[in-house]
Amino acid sequence: MNKGNKLYEGKAKIIYETKDKNLVIQHFKDDATAFNNLKKAKVEGKGVLNNRISEYILTNLSQCGIKTHFIKRLNMREQLIKKAEIFPIEFIVRNVATGSLTKRLDIPEGTVLERPLLEYCYKKDELEDPIVSKEHIYSFGWATEKDIKEIDIITLRINDILTGIFRGIGIKLIDFKIEYGKAWNKEINKNEIVLADEISPDTCRLWDMKTEKKLDKDRFRKDLGNVIQAYQEVARRLRIMPEETNISEVNFGKATSIKFKKK
Ligand code: 5GP
Protein backbone atom coordinates (compact mmCIF):
# COMPACT_ATOMS: atom_id res chain seq x y z
CA MET A 1 0.00 0.00 0.00
CA ASN A 2 1.64 3.25 -1.18
CA LYS A 3 1.77 6.20 1.17
CA GLY A 4 0.17 9.39 -0.13
CA ASN A 5 0.11 12.89 1.35
CA LYS A 6 0.30 13.56 5.04
CA LEU A 7 -3.24 14.20 6.30
CA TYR A 8 -2.52 14.90 9.94
CA GLU A 9 0.38 14.92 12.35
CA GLY A 10 -0.24 14.48 16.05
CA LYS A 11 2.10 14.22 19.02
CA ALA A 12 2.85 10.51 18.62
CA LYS A 13 1.48 9.56 15.22
CA ILE A 14 1.17 10.68 11.60
CA ILE A 15 -1.71 9.81 9.29
CA TYR A 16 -1.10 9.47 5.53
CA GLU A 17 -3.67 9.09 2.81
CA THR A 18 -3.71 6.08 0.48
CA LYS A 19 -5.20 5.57 -3.00
CA ASP A 20 -8.33 4.24 -1.31
CA LYS A 21 -10.36 7.14 0.13
CA ASN A 22 -11.61 4.95 2.97
CA LEU A 23 -8.17 3.76 4.12
CA VAL A 24 -5.21 5.60 5.68
CA ILE A 25 -1.78 4.69 7.05
CA GLN A 26 -1.04 5.31 10.72
CA HIS A 27 2.67 5.89 11.43
CA PHE A 28 3.95 5.56 15.02
CA LYS A 29 6.66 8.07 15.98
CA ASP A 30 9.18 7.80 18.81
CA ASP A 31 8.13 11.21 20.16
CA ALA A 32 6.87 11.29 23.72
CA THR A 33 5.06 14.28 25.15
CA ALA A 34 3.44 15.03 28.48
CA PHE A 35 1.82 17.90 30.37
CA ASN A 36 0.25 19.36 27.26
CA ASN A 37 3.48 19.30 25.26
CA LEU A 38 5.58 21.04 27.96
CA LYS A 39 7.71 17.91 28.28
CA LYS A 40 9.02 16.40 25.05
CA ALA A 41 11.57 13.73 24.19
CA LYS A 42 12.37 11.02 21.70
CA VAL A 43 12.15 7.53 23.14
CA GLU A 44 13.92 5.40 20.58
CA GLY A 45 11.93 2.31 19.67
CA LYS A 46 8.67 3.44 21.31
CA GLY A 47 6.86 3.75 17.98
CA VAL A 48 7.87 0.25 16.95
CA LEU A 49 6.67 -1.25 20.22
CA ASN A 50 3.40 0.70 20.30
CA ASN A 51 2.66 -0.30 16.71
CA ARG A 52 3.07 -3.96 17.59
CA ILE A 53 1.35 -3.85 21.01
CA SER A 54 -1.61 -1.90 19.61
CA GLU A 55 -1.90 -4.35 16.69
CA TYR A 56 -1.99 -7.23 19.16
CA ILE A 57 -4.62 -5.64 21.41
CA LEU A 58 -6.91 -4.36 18.65
CA THR A 59 -6.75 -7.76 16.92
CA ASN A 60 -7.74 -9.47 20.16
CA LEU A 61 -10.60 -7.01 20.68
CA SER A 62 -11.77 -7.58 17.13
CA GLN A 63 -11.79 -11.35 17.78
CA CYS A 64 -14.15 -10.59 20.68
CA GLY A 65 -16.53 -8.74 18.35
CA ILE A 66 -15.35 -5.16 18.94
CA LYS A 67 -15.30 -3.13 15.72
CA THR A 68 -11.99 -1.33 15.25
CA HIS A 69 -10.28 0.77 12.59
CA PHE A 70 -7.34 -1.68 12.41
CA ILE A 71 -6.82 -3.62 9.16
CA LYS A 72 -3.22 -4.81 9.18
CA ARG A 73 0.31 -3.93 10.24
CA LEU A 74 2.36 -2.89 7.21
CA ASN A 75 5.85 -2.65 8.72
CA MET A 76 7.68 -1.77 11.94
CA ARG A 77 6.09 1.63 12.31
CA GLU A 78 2.99 1.61 10.19
CA GLN A 79 -0.43 0.07 10.03
CA LEU A 80 -3.25 0.25 7.53
CA ILE A 81 -6.44 1.48 9.17
CA LYS A 82 -9.91 2.57 8.18
CA LYS A 83 -10.25 6.32 7.78
CA ALA A 84 -12.52 7.48 10.56
CA GLU A 85 -14.08 10.74 11.56
CA ILE A 86 -12.91 10.92 15.14
CA PHE A 87 -15.26 12.09 17.91
CA PRO A 88 -13.46 14.99 19.68
CA ILE A 89 -13.67 13.10 22.96
CA GLU A 90 -11.22 11.02 24.97
CA PHE A 91 -13.01 8.18 26.72
CA ILE A 92 -11.23 7.33 29.96
CA VAL A 93 -11.88 4.23 32.04
CA ARG A 94 -10.52 3.94 35.57
CA ASN A 95 -10.32 0.81 37.71
CA VAL A 96 -7.95 2.22 40.33
CA ALA A 97 -7.65 5.88 41.33
CA THR A 98 -4.46 7.62 40.27
CA GLY A 99 -3.35 10.48 38.00
CA SER A 100 -5.70 13.39 37.42
CA LEU A 101 -8.56 11.76 39.36
CA THR A 102 -6.63 11.79 42.64
CA LYS A 103 -5.65 15.43 42.11
CA ARG A 104 -9.04 16.65 40.92
CA LEU A 105 -11.15 15.06 43.66
CA ASP A 106 -8.58 14.34 46.37
CA ILE A 107 -9.20 10.58 46.13
CA PRO A 108 -6.41 8.58 47.80
CA GLU A 109 -3.89 7.18 45.32
CA GLY A 110 -4.45 3.48 44.65
CA THR A 111 -8.11 3.36 45.76
CA VAL A 112 -9.70 0.38 44.01
CA LEU A 113 -12.92 1.64 42.48
CA GLU A 114 -16.09 -0.34 43.18
CA ARG A 115 -16.93 -0.29 39.50
CA PRO A 116 -15.16 1.07 36.43
CA LEU A 117 -15.43 4.83 36.27
CA LEU A 118 -16.07 6.35 32.83
CA GLU A 119 -14.93 9.90 32.13
CA TYR A 120 -15.17 12.06 29.02
CA CYS A 121 -12.60 14.70 28.08
CA TYR A 122 -12.94 17.22 25.28
CA LYS A 123 -9.98 16.77 22.91
CA LYS A 124 -8.57 20.28 22.76
CA ASP A 125 -4.87 20.82 23.45
CA GLU A 126 -5.28 24.58 24.02
CA LEU A 127 -7.70 23.80 26.88
CA GLU A 128 -5.66 20.83 28.16
CA ASP A 129 -8.38 18.30 27.30
CA PRO A 130 -10.91 19.32 29.99
CA ILE A 131 -13.24 16.78 31.59
CA VAL A 132 -16.82 17.27 30.37
CA SER A 133 -20.24 15.78 31.10
CA LYS A 134 -22.48 13.93 28.68
CA GLU A 135 -24.65 17.06 28.62
CA HIS A 136 -21.72 19.08 27.25
CA ILE A 137 -21.21 16.42 24.58
CA TYR A 138 -24.86 16.57 23.49
CA SER A 139 -25.20 20.37 23.80
CA PHE A 140 -22.22 21.06 21.57
CA GLY A 141 -22.96 18.25 19.13
CA TRP A 142 -19.69 16.37 19.68
CA ALA A 143 -21.66 13.11 19.61
CA THR A 144 -25.30 12.11 19.89
CA GLU A 145 -26.98 10.42 22.85
CA LYS A 146 -27.31 7.30 20.70
CA ASP A 147 -23.57 7.33 19.90
CA ILE A 148 -22.58 7.72 23.56
CA LYS A 149 -24.98 4.99 24.69
CA GLU A 150 -23.37 2.60 22.20
CA ILE A 151 -19.82 3.74 23.01
CA ASP A 152 -20.33 3.37 26.79
CA ILE A 153 -21.34 -0.27 26.34
CA ILE A 154 -18.38 -1.00 24.01
CA THR A 155 -15.97 0.82 26.34
CA LEU A 156 -16.96 -1.25 29.37
CA ARG A 157 -16.61 -4.45 27.32
CA ILE A 158 -13.16 -3.32 26.22
CA ASN A 159 -12.26 -2.73 29.87
CA ASP A 160 -13.34 -6.29 30.75
CA ILE A 161 -11.37 -7.82 27.87
CA LEU A 162 -8.24 -5.74 28.46
CA THR A 163 -8.34 -6.39 32.21
CA GLY A 164 -8.35 -10.12 31.41
CA ILE A 165 -5.55 -9.90 28.84
CA PHE A 166 -3.30 -7.98 31.23
CA ARG A 167 -4.21 -10.03 34.30
CA GLY A 168 -3.09 -13.10 32.34
CA ILE A 169 0.42 -11.63 32.11
CA GLY A 170 0.68 -10.40 35.68
CA ILE A 171 -0.30 -6.78 34.99
CA LYS A 172 -3.05 -4.66 36.58
CA LEU A 173 -4.94 -2.41 34.18
CA ILE A 174 -5.26 0.75 36.27
CA ASP A 175 -6.84 3.05 33.68
CA PHE A 176 -6.74 3.86 29.98
CA LYS A 177 -7.84 6.32 27.31
CA ILE A 178 -9.49 5.34 24.06
CA GLU A 179 -10.92 7.16 21.08
CA TYR A 180 -13.67 6.32 18.64
CA GLY A 181 -14.63 7.43 15.19
CA LYS A 182 -17.15 6.76 12.46
CA ALA A 183 -15.80 4.73 9.54
CA TRP A 184 -17.29 3.37 6.37
CA ASN A 185 -18.29 -0.29 6.41
CA LYS A 186 -18.47 -1.37 2.77
CA GLU A 187 -20.27 -4.63 3.63
CA ILE A 188 -23.29 -2.81 5.01
CA ASN A 189 -22.81 0.39 3.00
CA LYS A 190 -22.98 2.50 6.13
CA ASN A 191 -20.85 4.44 8.58
CA GLU A 192 -20.39 2.72 11.90
CA ILE A 193 -18.69 3.46 15.20
CA VAL A 194 -15.21 1.94 15.44
CA LEU A 195 -12.50 1.95 18.08
CA ALA A 196 -9.73 4.16 16.66
CA ASP A 197 -6.28 5.54 17.60
CA GLU A 198 -4.14 3.06 19.61
CA ILE A 199 -4.05 1.03 22.81
CA SER A 200 -0.53 0.82 24.16
CA PRO A 201 1.56 1.71 27.23
CA ASP A 202 1.25 5.31 25.98
CA THR A 203 -2.50 5.26 26.57
CA CYS A 204 -2.88 2.87 29.53
CA ARG A 205 -1.61 2.72 33.08
CA LEU A 206 -0.17 -0.74 33.60
CA TRP A 207 1.22 -1.84 36.98
CA ASP A 208 2.99 -5.08 37.69
CA MET A 209 0.58 -7.20 39.73
CA LYS A 210 3.07 -8.10 42.46
CA THR A 211 5.41 -5.11 42.73
CA GLU A 212 3.14 -2.34 41.36
CA LYS A 213 6.07 -1.30 39.15
CA LYS A 214 4.82 1.07 36.46
CA LEU A 215 5.08 -0.35 32.94
CA ASP A 216 3.68 2.62 31.03
CA LYS A 217 4.09 6.25 30.03
CA ASP A 218 4.14 7.39 33.66
CA ARG A 219 7.81 6.30 33.60
CA PHE A 220 8.33 9.18 31.14
CA ARG A 221 5.91 11.63 32.79
CA LYS A 222 7.45 11.12 36.24
CA ASP A 223 11.09 10.70 35.14
CA LEU A 224 11.24 7.16 36.50
CA GLY A 225 13.72 6.03 33.82
CA ASN A 226 13.80 2.78 31.79
CA VAL A 227 10.83 3.88 29.67
CA ILE A 228 11.58 1.69 26.66
CA GLN A 229 12.49 -1.27 28.86
CA ALA A 230 9.02 -1.07 30.46
CA TYR A 231 7.25 -1.03 27.06
CA GLN A 232 9.50 -3.90 25.99
CA GLU A 233 8.54 -5.83 29.12
CA VAL A 234 4.85 -5.48 28.19
CA ALA A 235 5.59 -6.78 24.66
CA ARG A 236 7.62 -9.68 26.05
CA ARG A 237 4.91 -10.68 28.50
CA LEU A 238 2.34 -10.55 25.70
CA ARG A 239 4.74 -12.95 23.93
CA ILE A 240 4.88 -10.83 20.82
CA MET A 241 8.58 -10.09 21.18
CA PRO A 242 11.21 -12.80 21.53
CA GLU A 243 13.04 -12.86 24.87
CA GLU A 244 16.41 -12.22 23.25
CA THR A 245 15.47 -9.01 21.38
CA ASN A 246 16.64 -5.81 23.00
CA ILE A 247 14.91 -3.01 21.18
CA SER A 248 17.28 -0.34 22.48
CA GLU A 249 20.10 -2.03 20.56
CA VAL A 250 18.27 -2.03 17.23
CA ASN A 251 19.35 0.58 14.70
CA PHE A 252 16.04 2.08 13.63
CA GLY A 253 17.65 4.22 10.95
CA LYS A 254 18.52 1.19 8.86
CA ALA A 255 16.46 -1.67 10.18
CA THR A 256 13.42 -2.59 8.18
CA SER A 257 12.31 -5.49 10.30
CA ILE A 258 12.56 -6.83 13.80
CA LYS A 259 11.47 -10.38 14.31
CA PHE A 260 8.20 -10.15 16.16
CA LYS A 261 6.46 -13.36 17.00
CA LYS A 262 3.35 -14.25 15.04
CA LYS A 263 0.66 -15.46 17.40
P1 5GP B 1 -5.17 11.01 33.66
O1 5GP B 1 -6.48 11.72 33.43
O2 5GP B 1 -5.11 10.39 35.02
O3 5GP B 1 -3.98 11.87 33.36
O4 5GP B 1 -5.11 9.83 32.59
C1 5GP B 1 -6.01 8.75 32.64
C2 5GP B 1 -5.59 7.71 31.63
O5 5GP B 1 -5.82 8.18 30.31
C3 5GP B 1 -4.10 7.33 31.68
O6 5GP B 1 -3.98 5.96 31.33
C4 5GP B 1 -3.47 8.17 30.60
O7 5GP B 1 -2.35 7.53 30.04
C5 5GP B 1 -4.61 8.28 29.59
N1 5GP B 1 -4.64 9.59 28.92
C6 5GP B 1 -5.38 10.66 29.25
N2 5GP B 1 -5.18 11.68 28.40
C7 5GP B 1 -4.27 11.25 27.52
C8 5GP B 1 -3.64 11.85 26.39
O8 5GP B 1 -3.88 13.00 26.02
N3 5GP B 1 -2.73 11.08 25.71
C9 5GP B 1 -2.44 9.80 26.11
N4 5GP B 1 -1.53 9.10 25.40
N5 5GP B 1 -3.03 9.20 27.14
C10 5GP B 1 -3.93 9.92 27.86
Side-chain angles (χ1 to χ4, degrees), residues 11-13 33 90-94 98-104 119 121 123 125 129 173-179 197-198 200-206 216-218 221:
K11 285 173 272 188
K13 293 186 293 293
T33 63
E90 293 183 341
F91 296 83
I92 292 177
V93 184
R94 300 179 186 273
T98 187
S100 69
L101 175 66
T102 55
K103 292 197 192 87
R104 202 179 334 113
E119 290 177 347
C121 292
K123 259 166 70 85
D125 282 344
D129 301 339
L173 177 63
I174 303 299
D175 57 28
F176 61 96
K177 182 264 302 181
I178 47 182
E179 297 183 23
D197 195 51
E198 67 175 298
S200 72
D202 262 10
T203 61
C204 302
R205 284 201 175 93
L206 305 168
D216 57 60
K217 195 174 163 189
D218 270 356
R221 293 188 187 103

Side-chain angles (χ1 to χ4, degrees), residues 182-248:
K182 281 201 170 157
W184 187 250
N185 181 335
K186 61 179 186 228
E187 268 108 58
I188 54 170
N189 252 336
K190 256 178 27 183
N191 267 328
E192 64 182 2
I193 292 176
V194 293
L195 174 69
D197 195 51
E198 67 175 298
I199 299 183
S200 72
D202 262 10
T203 61
C204 302
R205 284 201 175 93
L206 305 168
W207 294 0
D208 178 80
M209 202 92 91
K210 283 197 192 126
T211 63
E212 303 219 321
K213 181 181 170 188
K214 293 177 179 22
L215 298 171
D216 57 60
K217 195 174 163 189
D218 270 356
R219 299 206 73 82
F220 170 73
R221 293 188 187 103
K222 295 171 180 258
D223 288 324
L224 299 175
N226 293 334
V227 181
I228 203 66
Q229 289 81 357
Y231 284 48
Q232 199 166 276
E233 173 73 22
V234 175
R236 279 212 182 103
R237 290 199 201 180
L238 288 170
R239 308 184 64 166
I240 51 182
M241 198 176 142
E243 295 294 324
E244 65 274 14
T245 310
N246 184 351
I247 210 136
S248 46

Side-chain angles (χ1 to χ4, degrees), residues 91-132:
F91 296 83
I92 292 177
V93 184
R94 300 179 186 273
N95 298 308
V96 176
T98 187
S100 69
L101 175 66
T102 55
K103 292 197 192 87
R104 202 179 334 113
L105 301 176
D106 197 23
I107 307 293
E109 170 81 16
T111 306
V112 177
L113 303 173
E114 249 173 57
R115 52 185 190 155
L117 177 63
L118 258 178
E119 290 177 347
Y120 312 94
C121 292
Y122 179 42
K123 259 166 70 85
K124 193 103 183 152
D125 282 344
E126 307 91 283
L127 302 176
E128 299 183 21
D129 301 339
I131 188 163
V132 293

Side-chain angles (χ1 to χ4, degrees), residues 57 61 157-168 171 173 176 178 199 204:
I57 292 177
L61 290 173
R157 270 203 76 211
I158 291 176
N159 185 45
D160 285 345
I161 299 165
L162 292 186
T163 300
I165 292 177
F166 286 116
R167 187 183 293 139
I171 290 176
L173 177 63
F176 61 96
I178 47 182
I199 299 183
C204 302

